[in-house]
Amino acid sequence: MLSISNQSKYMYCTVLVGMPFYFQQKIRKPMKPIYYLCLLAFGAFAITACEKLLPAAPEEHEVLDGTIEGLTGTENAQFLRGDLAFTRNFTPATGLGPLFVSNSCISCHAGDGKGHPFTNLVRFGQTDETGNKFIAHGGPQLQNKAIPGFSPENIPSGASHATFMAPANTGLGFLEAVPDADILKMADPDDKDGDGISGVPNWIELPDFVKPATNAISKEGRYIGRFGRKAGAHNLLNQTVNAYNQDMGVVTTYSPHDTYTGKELDPEVPNVEVEDLVFYLHTLKAPIQRNTDAADVKAGKQLFVNIQCGTCHRPSLKTGNSYIKALAYKEFFPYTDLLMHDMGKELDDNYTEGTAKTSEWRTTPLWGLGLAKNSQGGNLFLLHDGRAKSIEEAISYHGGEAQKSREKYKALNTTEQQQLITFLESL
């Protein structure tokens, strides 16, 4: 039997459905009512045939992309412009390089999901929290690719480094809208409750182009970071401008310094495109949990709480005020506390940002975990560098503050362990 590609199916259906309209335009004169009825009947047949021929659209809970609910028409239009900016492929003629990691956002975040080891990036610096001493040597990010005529960077002598995998992009607007005061309430730097879990913010210095929110809390001139594996970015503008500059070597008015020459250059993307992309990231919907009524999912969720996974991977948070009305004052379910936690020696990569220690990592949101394979070639690559190839393996690397939870997971019987994994795969 002849196999027809999806692309061919779409072309076939476009022609089939469009034929009645084509003939009507070609005739360009009044037709008898019977001819109109025939054209309508043909069109109905064509639509029915195409519905059977084309693959069904995925359900909302099966994909990560899509907007949050409640956007206005103007906001939806800006979301679509931001989507185009997200998929834009830069070339040397349009601003790429001369040194870079990738030439587009989507190449590291396929389907707005997690990255793949092929697209991992390397950040380098030092092992203490006194500030990156290698900024003048190309830090903090290694640009491992170059356009013709240039050579990629090498890690400078004496610099420590860590490998980072691109995280998923969904629900980020909700995370930005969590008030600093709420994050600090979850922190327990002195472990006053005695559960062995502290959790601290990463206090970072802000670049000149980043203006803290009106309700932001500062400490000795630093502000709370919440984006990135080490929470090294304060907000989505900070994260996006860094990605343009450090990932793609693209200069903006926000960060006009070329990563190669250090000179200030004319912007290679207009401000409106940067702002559209930031809005796009703000308004990507939160992942939708699946199979919530399944018995194993319910049992696994209770086990998740019982073995204290939820102490760091907080099931729910609430937003405060937001310039986007649809994000303001909403409860959402990211499974993170946005705090830094000591994860033990096995996850100590001898690299730091801000006040974060080398073994400290921001709690990764677990929402969307069950869809991670969709953007990772059908396989799982978890933790900050993708070293874990399964959820079970990721749990096995949890040391430090998570050591007790790891041991409690090991103590579960086989059925209970599978129930916990089933719950995590539903997120």
Side-chain angles (χ1 to χ4, degrees):
M1 183 175 178
L2 180 65
S3 176
I4 305 175
S5 69
N6 282 339
Q7 184 177 9
S8 298
K9 292 176 183 177
Y10 280 112
M11 291 175 63
Y12 168 78
C13 285
T14 301
V15 172
L16 191 63
V17 174
M19 282 177 65
F21 305 99
Y22 171 78
F23 284 122
Q24 186 177 1
Q25 290 298 314
K26 290 293 287 182
I27 293 171
R28 293 185 177 277
K29 63 181 181 179
M31 291 188 297
K32 294 180 180 180
I34 187 63
Y35 293 153
Y36 279 113
L37 290 174
C38 289
L39 287 176
L40 289 172
F42 183 86
F45 162 77
I47 292 171
T48 302
C50 286
E51 285 179 348
K52 294 180 179 180
L53 188 62
L54 291 174
E59 297 289 339
E60 188 75 3
H61 62 266
E62 294 176 338
V63 293
L64 293 176
D65 56 350
T67 64
I68 59 175
E69 294 182 357
L71 294 185
T72 65
T74 300
E75 289 172 333
N76 272 308
Q78 186 172 11
F79 176 90
L80 292 175
R81 294 196 303 272
D83 196 354
L84 288 175
F86 187 78
T87 60
R88 179 179 178 182
N89 288 306
F90 285 92
T91 66
T94 57
L96 179 67
L99 306 184
F100 62 99
V101 177
S102 183
N103 70 333
S104 69
C105 302
I106 197 170
S107 61
C108 292
H109 304 273
D112 293 302
K114 291 179 180 291
H116 187 279
F118 289 149
T119 59
N120 277 356
L121 55 85
V122 174
R123 296 178 73 82
F124 62 88
Q126 67 293 315
T127 59
D128 57 45
E129 304 96 67
T130 57
N132 198 317
K133 301 178 180 66
F134 295 90
I135 297 297
H137 300 282
Q141 191 152 296
L142 180 73
Q143 278 89 35
N144 63 340
K145 298 182 180 69
I147 65 175
F150 295 85
S151 299
E153 279 186 324
N154 293 307
I155 297 174
S157 176
S160 63
H161 64 277
T163 300
F164 288 5
M165 174 176 284
N169 288 327
T170 52
L172 299 184
F174 290 98
L175 297 178
E176 180 169 320
V178 176
D180 283 3
D182 289 359
I183 295 175
L184 290 175
K185 286 178 183 177
M186 293 183 284
D188 186 14
D190 300 318
D191 191 22
K192 290 182 179 179
D193 59 8
D195 63 358
I197 299 172
S198 57
V200 294
N202 185 9
W203 297 97
I204 61 173
E205 295 180 359
L206 301 188
D208 293 338
F209 66 85
V210 174
K211 295 181 180 179
T214 54
N215 61 350
I217 297 172
S218 65
K219 179 180 180 181
E220 299 176 355
R222 296 189 176 201
Y223 290 84
I224 296 174
R226 65 184 72 197
F227 294 111
R229 299 297 188 176
K230 288 278 189 182
H234 177 67
N235 60 19
L236 289 173
L237 176 63
N238 190 178
Q239 184 80 349
T240 300
V241 170
N242 286 351
Y244 270 119
N245 194 241
Q246 298 173 15
D247 295 356
M248 297 178 284
V250 174
V251 171
T252 66
T253 59
Y254 298 100
S255 184
H257 296 282
D258 177 54
T259 56
Y260 180 72
T261 64
K263 296 180 180 179
E264 189 167 313
L265 303 179
D266 292 333
E268 293 161 321
V269 291
N271 283 2
V272 66
E273 186 170 332
V274 178
E275 292 158 7
D276 286 345
L277 179 51
V278 172
F279 186 85
Y280 172 77
L281 295 174
H282 266 121
T283 52
L284 278 167
K285 76 174 194 293
I288 301 170
Q289 188 180 0
R290 299 162 306 286
N291 304 320
T292 53
D293 294 329
D296 281 352
V297 171
K298 290 181 177 180
K301 183 176 182 178
Q302 187 58 54
L303 290 166
F304 184 84
V305 174
N306 293 348
I307 67 175
Q308 292 185 288
C309 298
T311 305
C312 301
H313 292 283
R314 297 269 181 144
S316 67
L317 297 174
K318 292 182 179 179
T319 64
N321 193 21
S322 173
Y323 79 100
I324 301 170
K325 186 177 180 180
L327 285 172
Y329 306 107
K330 298 289 176 63
E331 183 179 16
F332 62 104
F333 305 92
Y335 291 86
T336 180
D337 58 7
L338 296 173
L339 294 171
M340 309 297 294
H341 293 277
D342 182 351
M343 297 301 293
K345 291 182 179 180
E346 288 185 90
L347 293 178
D348 188 336
D349 280 6
N350 294 315
Y351 170 77
T352 186
E353 293 179 7
T355 59
K357 294 179 171 56
T358 57
S359 60
E360 289 180 330
W361 299 93
R362 189 208 63 169
T363 305
T364 298
L366 295 180
W367 58 4
L369 178 58
L371 301 178
K373 290 181 181 180
N374 293 354
S375 62
Q376 296 186 313
N379 297 304
L380 273 181
F381 300 96
L382 302 176
L383 300 178
H384 65 274
D385 55 3
R387 71 180 68 177
K389 307 305 187 295
S390 67
I391 296 174
E392 295 90 338
E393 186 179 359
I395 293 171
S396 74
Y397 278 109
H398 280 54
E401 295 175 38
Q403 179 76 27
K404 290 182 179 178
S405 292
R406 180 176 75 178
E407 297 306 319
K408 288 179 180 180
Y409 169 76
K410 289 181 179 179
L412 298 175
N413 62 44
T414 302
T415 298
E416 290 172 327
Q417 288 185 356
Q418 185 54 54
Q419 288 173 332
L420 179 59
I421 299 302
T422 299
F423 162 67
L424 294 172
E425 289 175 339
S426 77
L427 296 179

